[in-house]
Amino acid sequence: MVTKNIGAIYGFNPLLSNLLFKFDKALEKNNRIIDISGGMKEVKISALMENDETCESVKEMDKKRKELCDDAVEPPNEIENIDVYAVLCLHLKSLQINSSLHSAHSDEIKPKRVTFEADVLKTDLETKYLCLFPEEFFLFWKHVQKLTGKDGDPCGNYHITKSVYGNLKCLRLCGVFDYLAGHFKDADTEKYLLHDRFATDLPEMQTLAVYDNGRYVYWRDEPNTEKPLIVHVDNAEHYPKCVIVGAVDPFYMIAHLVGKTLRVEYRNFFSKDWIEGYKMLTANVKKIAKSRNSETVGLPFHGMGIYVKIVNDVGYRPLKEKTGELKNIINLVATTDNEDIKQKKMEKITEIVSCIQFANDEKDFGMGLEFGHDIFWSNHNFFDKMAEKLLITAYKLLDRQAFARILEVHMPVRRNIPDL
């Protein structure tokens, strides 16, 4: 974002501050005219502003700049020798936008897409990401490549712009799509599991796309799930909200942003089957969510429930604490500075962990999975070690070894990976 306070820029970079200070002095003294785009144009500070209507006047900005630079010493006989064009270019370059996404791209390097045969590609992804990918995933990817063309960037150009949806900016494919688009290649297989993995991404989750208001993920209850859900996750740091927006087919991500009615200008975003059945497919989301409720147990904070096989009432036992009460206990333990309160509430957490150990002995593995999800979802680093231990134990008892592996790779760097 282009800053609206030139003085603030000077404070960030001493070297650039000095150069720009000299640059402004040269303009004031000589009213320099320089050629920056093939024609003679007068350089004005206001030209560097993002929006003239909302910016302060040039004089006011110049006054603020000078106040911040009163201690700057102007070397004699150097102003006339300044390469004004070079300084201006350096300044403009410093204002380039840096994406807050994990996988920011460089437009200068053209990526080479992965071009394996279908069966080989499917096996390749399953090996790298330790889970299954449905056929609809590959059909979606094929359509995206068709949209962007041979020389386009599927992870950089495929988006809905803010001019269409003011509060839904820059949807961008990421994660596994970055690998397919040629943006991400590494000999270290662990990095594939970490690429675009957010701090609140459980092993059940795989981020597919991001935009300003959140992200879209595949949700798999088991690594070999053949029909993963499409879930929207908001940007909350603690206890982000999950909403089911579809299943299996990534086109549901696009439909969630486009809305119930498919307008003409968005038709090319979808395949022929989606265009013909758009209303039916979008209306089907309610059925998908309802079906989910009937297949799961528990009330974890993310609202997705948990999936465990229950045979003869064995496999799951509920937590005794209500959701609101449990969240309050977790927050107090993680955030309070009062050691007495922390100790008292921690006793309750310890009691729950003891109950989980008894539940595991009696093969009610779902209890540990649910509580592990809860403390992981709280995203308080105080509980990282406990969440890791509880969840890895639950995944191994439930024969979800791939999820245990993903968590083992994720937890050591969980606090080092930037989120949106």
Side-chain angles (χ1 to χ4, degrees):
M1 178 178 179
V2 178
T3 182
K4 297 180 181 179
N5 189 333
I6 298 299
I9 297 177
Y10 291 1
F12 291 151
N13 190 324
L15 176 60
L16 183 58
S17 300
N18 191 32
L19 288 172
L20 288 172
F21 176 75
K22 296 176 183 178
F23 169 54
D24 287 344
K25 284 295 185 181
L27 292 180
E28 292 172 3
K29 182 175 181 179
N30 302 320
N31 193 25
R32 292 279 299 273
I33 305 295
I34 60 176
D35 186 358
I36 59 174
S37 60
M40 301 302 287
K41 297 185 179 180
E42 182 177 357
V43 178
K44 296 182 179 180
I45 295 298
S46 58
L48 302 178
M49 303 301 181
E50 182 181 32
N51 188 331
D52 290 336
E53 295 179 359
T54 58
C55 292
E56 300 179 52
S57 68
V58 175
K59 290 183 179 180
E60 291 174 340
M61 296 299 292
D62 192 49
K63 182 179 179 181
K64 288 186 177 182
R65 171 186 59 75
K66 290 178 180 179
E67 289 174 354
L68 290 173
C69 297
D70 283 341
D71 58 344
V73 178
E74 180 182 345
N77 303 322
E78 288 187 8
I79 294 177
E80 288 77 11
N81 298 324
I82 295 174
D83 186 343
V84 181
Y85 177 75
V87 173
L88 181 59
C89 289
L90 176 62
H91 175 58
L92 293 175
K93 185 176 181 180
S94 73
L95 298 178
Q96 290 179 348
I97 297 173
N98 289 321
S99 172
S100 61
L101 303 180
H102 304 179
S103 49
H105 302 156
S106 171
D107 294 333
E108 299 176 359
I109 302 175
K110 182 180 177 181
K112 185 177 181 180
R113 299 178 194 172
V114 175
T115 56
F116 295 142
E117 294 294 331
D119 291 342
V120 177
L121 179 58
K122 190 171 184 178
T123 301
D124 177 57
L125 294 187
E126 291 172 3
T127 301
K128 284 182 169 64
Y129 294 96
L130 307 183
C131 54
L132 300 181
F133 287 83
E135 185 63 28
E136 289 82 353
F137 172 87
F138 298 98
L139 293 175
F140 172 79
W141 175 241
K142 184 177 181 180
H143 184 76
V144 171
Q145 293 184 88
K146 180 180 177 181
L147 282 178
T148 56
K150 182 179 179 180
D151 297 324
D153 183 355
C155 292
N157 297 332
Y158 188 75
H159 63 273
I160 298 176
T161 65
K162 67 177 182 179
S163 61
V164 178
Y165 292 101
N167 64 335
L168 301 179
K169 305 174 187 177
C170 298
L171 176 72
R172 190 183 74 77
L173 302 181
C174 64
V176 61
F177 290 115
D178 267 338
Y179 167 64
L180 293 174
H183 286 294
F184 178 72
K185 294 180 181 180
D186 201 292
D188 186 351
T189 56
E190 291 185 355
K191 291 185 179 179
Y192 288 94
L193 300 176
L194 293 174
H195 184 65
D196 286 330
R197 178 163 291 278
F198 289 73
T200 50
D201 275 349
L202 286 158
E204 286 86 348
M205 301 162 65
Q206 182 180 39
T207 297
L208 300 177
V210 292
Y211 77 118
D212 282 359
N213 291 347
R215 64 190 188 274
Y216 294 95
V217 307
Y218 261 155
W219 183 290
R220 302 177 179 90
D221 291 307
E222 298 176 308
N224 61 353
T225 297
E226 295 182 351
K227 296 183 178 182
L229 295 169
I230 304 289
V231 176
H232 178 271
V233 186
D234 69 20
N235 285 332
E237 180 181 1
H238 304 286
Y239 312 104
K241 181 180 179 181
C242 286
V243 177
I244 295 173
V245 299
V248 184
D249 197 335
F251 277 119
Y252 275 109
M253 302 185 302
I254 315 302
H256 182 245
L257 292 182
V258 170
K260 294 181 179 180
T261 302
L262 178 57
R263 292 164 57 180
V264 175
E265 57 264 40
Y266 306 131
R267 289 171 67 89
N268 67 324
F269 285 168
F270 298 90
S271 65
K272 181 180 178 181
D273 290 342
W274 260 87
I275 293 173
E276 294 176 351
Y278 189 83
K279 288 186 177 180
M280 179 188 69
L281 289 165
T282 53
N284 196 41
V285 173
K286 290 183 178 180
K287 294 181 180 179
I288 295 171
K290 185 177 180 179
S291 176
R292 173 69 181 180
N293 291 334
S294 66
E295 296 171 352
T296 58
V297 294
L299 296 170
F301 295 149
H302 48 63
M304 293 293 296
I306 60 168
Y307 175 79
V308 290
K309 295 178 181 178
I310 299 176
V311 180
N312 297 326
D313 292 329
V314 176
Y316 172 78
R317 67 180 64 177
L319 297 169
K320 295 179 181 179
E321 291 70 24
K322 294 182 179 180
T323 300
E325 179 186 355
L326 183 58
K327 186 179 290 187
N328 183 55
I329 293 172
I330 290 173
N331 286 338
L332 279 174
V333 171
T335 62
T336 185
D337 293 327
N338 188 313
E339 289 300 322
D340 291 335
I341 294 177
K342 184 187 290 286
Q343 182 63 32
K344 184 176 180 180
K345 295 299 181 181
M346 194 61 200
E347 289 175 1
K348 192 64 178 178
I349 298 291
T350 303
E351 181 182 330
I352 295 173
V353 173
S354 296
C355 290
I356 290 171
Q357 292 172 344
F358 283 114
N360 286 341
D361 291 339
E362 297 175 5
K363 298 186 178 181
D364 287 331
F365 307 139
M367 186 180 191
L369 180 64
E370 181 178 7
F371 187 63
H373 273 208
D374 283 342
I375 57 177
F376 182 97
W377 203 247
S378 73
N379 199 23
H380 290 298
N381 57 8
F382 180 89
F383 289 108
D384 277 359
K385 290 184 179 180
M386 182 183 292
E388 181 178 9
K389 184 176 181 179
L390 286 173
L391 285 175
I392 287 178
T393 298
Y395 291 139
K396 290 182 176 180
L397 290 172
L398 290 165
D399 196 23
R400 301 174 186 179
Q401 307 294 339
F403 286 169
R405 178 57 182 156
I406 291 171
L407 195 67
E408 288 171 345
V409 172
H410 184 202
M411 293 305 287
V413 297
R414 185 186 186 193
R415 301 300 162 190
N416 300 331
I417 299 177
D419 273 359
L420 281 177

